[in-house]
Amino acid sequence: MHLVNRGLTNYWGYNSIGFFAPECRYSSSGVTGGQVNEFKQMVKDLHRAGIEVILDVVYNHSAEGNHLGPTLSFKGIENVNYYRLVPWEPRYYMDYTGCGNSLDATKPRVLQMITDSLRYWVTDMHVDGFRFDLAASLARGESGVSKFAAFFEIVHQDPIISQVKLIAEPWDIGEGGYQVGNFPVLWAEWNGRYRDSVRRFWKGDAGLVGELAYRLSGSSDLYQSTGRRPYASINFVTAHDGFTLNDLVSYNEKHNEANGEGNRDGENNCGVEGPTDDEAINTRRDRQRRNFLATLLLSQGVPMLCAGDEFCRTQLGDNNAYCQDNPISWLSWEHDVRAKALLNFTRELLALRRMHPVFRRPKFFQGRPIRGATIKDIMWFNSTGAEMSDAEWDSWFIRCLGMLLSGASMDVRDRRGRPIQDETFLVLLNAHYEPVPFVLPGLLNVELVMDTARQPSFISSKEEYRSAACYDLKDRSTVLFRLKAGLEASTPANPAWRTA
């Protein structure tokens, strides 16, 4: 009734009541069951195209809402055994989800319903994995969120569910609900630390180069100690929750007035709030969009791109468009010149990442030469071309960083046991509002691949630089070089280049 009274719609569908049924609104077959066959055919077609299907599932609450909500299913079956109730006032619901109630995943019947549902979607509908909305809520026990929760035990021992991809949104809105890095082995996580660090870095916040380095290199501080790999980190800058990428660089404040909640339900705008005709501001926003995309797709881990961000989709500043079944949420396939340019840039970035395994390593870096290589598997440089010092990592004013990824130090083998090697790349990032002259470290002959300060950003003609050359790294820009030929003797500016 909350939405109906406002003339709005549960557009996202994050209010499940039938956990074994595809949403009929998405189907062209009507509401009499044709959506099941249609869903199965969709999955077959996607698999045929080499695309896996990850289903977003919401087992943390139901559409029955709080104590004022309707009785549709579980409330009428056995309210006390399906929901978390306030112990001292059991007519009220514990709400760790922001949706009025929380399903109680410590109870046998709830766990049975969840696992039966998951198995159904794998065995009958053939999906390849799941993303669990507000997954921390499912891991709550009497003493809070625990990686030893019954939900994890049931999932891990199940011979079907444990073999598919498991992705957690590792938080809820309850006390102690933020659990990034704390989920068990087998689980990947939406890396909220990645999102926050990358956003703050490109906004120009100080003292972030150390934090950013962890996020660029796969977040070993979050996942390595628990035996997980870089692909446990689902890297993202934007998602369905919050601003689109276009709005992230166009608005400082949320504009959710259309939701009918007085803008209570819910970055840097480059100088003007919302759309503008100022070409200088639009150019700066174009560059920032490219910076975010380049950072995302050149980072270790699994990149997640929100639909439409590749062509400047806007929600007009609405950062919570769950109820907007209208152009605010819809994807427009009519693209202007700016949208087409960003789409082409994204395609080239994706092709680069797919072509080069050095950007998607299955193991964490070791910071040393691997198997006879002459350089470390990863190196970090300041703008003088020297390796970063401890003092510089902790510096409050440094907003510029160089990262070298060695393709010769991968320590990865293919299925036949042959070593996988790749080219070596140098990534430069400058979030400062002024250009930085960056001395290229001890390389012999590098080729410029991409500079987000240019348009088009990918360089079609040969542009080569030698060791100790000074590259004019523009303000708020990302640059990518490819090593063309060997190594040379260390220069005074970079004495740590050679390690063997």
Side-chain angles (χ1 to χ4, degrees):
M1 294 303 295
H2 169 76
L3 295 177
V4 173
N5 292 338
R6 290 171 169 79
L8 299 170
T9 307
N10 178 25
Y11 180 58
W12 284 359
Y14 275 75
N15 238 9
S16 301
I17 200 67
F19 293 93
F20 297 80
E23 171 58 70
C24 61
R25 287 181 300 164
Y26 302 153
S27 169
S28 62
S29 303
V31 297
T32 57
Q35 65 267 30
V36 175
N37 291 331
E38 201 168 314
F39 186 95
K40 290 181 177 180
Q41 187 60 50
M42 176 194 72
V43 174
K44 286 181 182 177
D45 292 342
L46 289 169
H47 284 172
R48 194 174 295 118
I51 300 173
E52 291 185 324
V53 178
I54 306 296
L55 189 66
D56 196 352
V57 289
V58 184
Y59 296 114
N60 57 76
H61 74 278
S62 82
E64 293 186 295
N66 61 16
H67 61 289
L68 299 176
T71 298
L72 303 172
S73 178
F74 306 118
K75 281 185 180 180
I77 296 172
E78 197 170 9
N79 186 60
V80 69
N81 273 324
Y82 275 94
Y83 293 108
R84 297 180 185 270
L85 306 179
V86 177
W88 56 90
E89 195 75 52
R91 72 189 181 102
Y92 295 114
Y93 296 85
M94 299 296 292
D95 185 7
Y96 299 117
T97 67
C99 298
N101 64 56
S102 304
L103 286 168
D104 190 347
T106 67
K107 300 293 178 63
R109 294 289 75 81
V110 175
L111 287 170
Q112 181 184 5
M113 183 273 291
I114 292 174
T115 52
D116 285 351
S117 172
L118 291 171
R119 281 192 292 269
Y120 166 76
W121 287 102
V122 175
T123 58
D124 284 53
M125 308 299 267
H126 306 293
V127 302
D128 302 283
F130 304 95
R131 177 265 187 187
F132 292 80
D133 183 70
L134 298 180
S137 176
L138 301 173
R140 282 190 176 274
E142 294 296 327
S143 58
V145 181
S146 170
K147 65 175 61 178
F148 304 107
F151 169 72
F152 291 135
E153 296 295 329
I154 292 290
V155 167
H156 293 172
Q157 61 81 36
D158 190 278
I160 295 173
I161 304 171
S162 63
Q163 300 306 304
V164 300
K165 293 179 171 63
L166 303 171
I167 302 171
E169 182 182 33
W171 51 76
D172 64 18
I173 67 169
E175 183 179 357
Y178 190 77
Q179 294 291 320
V180 172
N182 292 331
F183 272 62
V185 174
L186 297 186
W187 287 79
E189 300 175 13
W190 273 24
N191 191 342
R193 290 273 296 273
Y194 182 95
R195 172 199 59 202
D196 299 341
S197 301
V198 170
R199 285 187 178 193
R200 290 180 59 205
F201 175 78
W202 284 115
K203 188 160 70 74
D205 288 0
L208 283 172
V209 289
E211 172 76 8
L212 181 71
Y214 274 120
R215 306 306 144 231
L216 294 173
S217 57
S219 295
S220 60
D221 59 326
L222 298 178
Y223 304 115
Q224 189 171 22
S225 64
T226 57
R228 288 185 282 176
R229 299 289 189 91
Y231 45 77
S233 178
I234 307 297
N235 300 330
F236 68 107
V237 175
T238 61
H240 63 284
D241 293 313
F243 285 146
T244 67
L245 181 60
N246 181 84
D247 293 353
L248 182 65
V249 301
S250 304
Y251 294 90
N252 277 339
E253 308 294 336
K254 61 183 180 179
H255 294 268
N256 300 1
E257 292 82 3
N259 294 359
E261 299 180 34
N263 202 36
R264 295 185 301 272
D265 55 319
E267 290 163 31
N268 185 13
N269 62 14
C270 295
V272 172
E273 188 75 354
T276 179
D277 294 327
D278 189 317
E279 192 57 30
I281 289 176
N282 284 328
T283 299
R284 191 183 311 162
R285 290 175 177 174
D286 288 340
R287 188 184 300 182
Q288 286 289 70
R289 281 189 285 265
R290 293 193 292 271
N291 286 332
F292 279 119
L293 289 169
T295 305
L296 178 65
L297 291 169
L298 298 179
S299 297
Q300 304 298 318
V302 180
M304 184 180 78
L305 186 62
C306 189
D309 279 352
E310 71 276 23
F311 51 75
C312 306
R313 184 176 81 88
T314 179
Q315 292 180 170
L316 303 178
D318 192 329
N319 76 341
N320 190 26
Y322 74 104
C323 55
Q324 300 295 332
D325 188 2
N326 55 51
I328 289 177
S329 289
W330 297 344
L331 295 177
S332 172
W333 302 107
E334 296 180 2
H335 302 154
D336 61 17
V337 173
R338 273 199 158 81
K340 290 177 181 177
L342 188 64
L343 181 59
N344 288 333
F345 175 74
T346 308
R347 284 171 173 158
E348 291 185 276
L349 266 176
L350 288 166
L352 177 77
R353 182 181 178 89
R354 184 182 180 113
M355 186 182 303
H356 293 286
V358 74
F359 297 119
R360 40 189 175 84
R361 293 167 50 104
K363 295 183 179 181
F364 286 109
F365 294 101
Q366 299 181 40
R368 64 178 180 84
I370 306 295
R371 298 183 184 275
T374 56
I375 60 173
K376 301 174 186 177
D377 54 358
I378 189 169
M379 300 181 74
W380 303 97
F381 297 100
N382 61 27
S383 60
T384 70
E387 280 198 88
M388 291 282 289
S389 66
D390 290 343
E392 288 170 322
W393 283 123
D394 296 330
S395 170
W396 190 248
F397 61 86
I398 292 179
R399 294 177 173 84
C400 181
L401 184 66
M403 173 180 70
L404 182 132
L405 303 173
S406 170
S409 298
M410 296 268 292
D411 193 26
V412 179
R413 295 181 179 270
D414 64 16
R415 294 179 180 178
R416 296 184 177 182
R418 297 171 299 191
I420 296 175
Q421 293 192 327
D422 195 10
E423 296 180 282
T424 293
F425 289 88
L426 176 66
V427 183
L428 308 181
L429 305 100
N430 179 25
H432 198 50
Y433 59 84
E434 292 181 339
V436 173
F438 202 105
V439 177
L440 298 179
L443 303 171
L444 175 62
N445 196 12
V446 294
E447 180 182 4
L448 182 63
V449 177
M450 178 199 75
D451 186 340
T452 61
R454 305 188 190 187
Q455 180 62 308
S457 297
F458 278 86
I459 311 303
S460 57
S461 58
K462 269 197 172 184
E463 194 170 319
E464 297 184 354
Y465 297 84
R466 294 182 63 83
S467 173
C470 191
Y471 187 81
D472 185 21
L473 187 59
K474 299 297 184 184
D475 58 288
R476 298 185 178 92
S477 68
T478 306
V479 172
L480 179 67
F481 291 99
R482 176 191 291 113
L483 178 64
K484 288 298 290 181
L487 303 174
E488 67 172 356
S490 302
T491 66
N494 43 43
W497 173 254
R498 272 191 181 275
T499 59

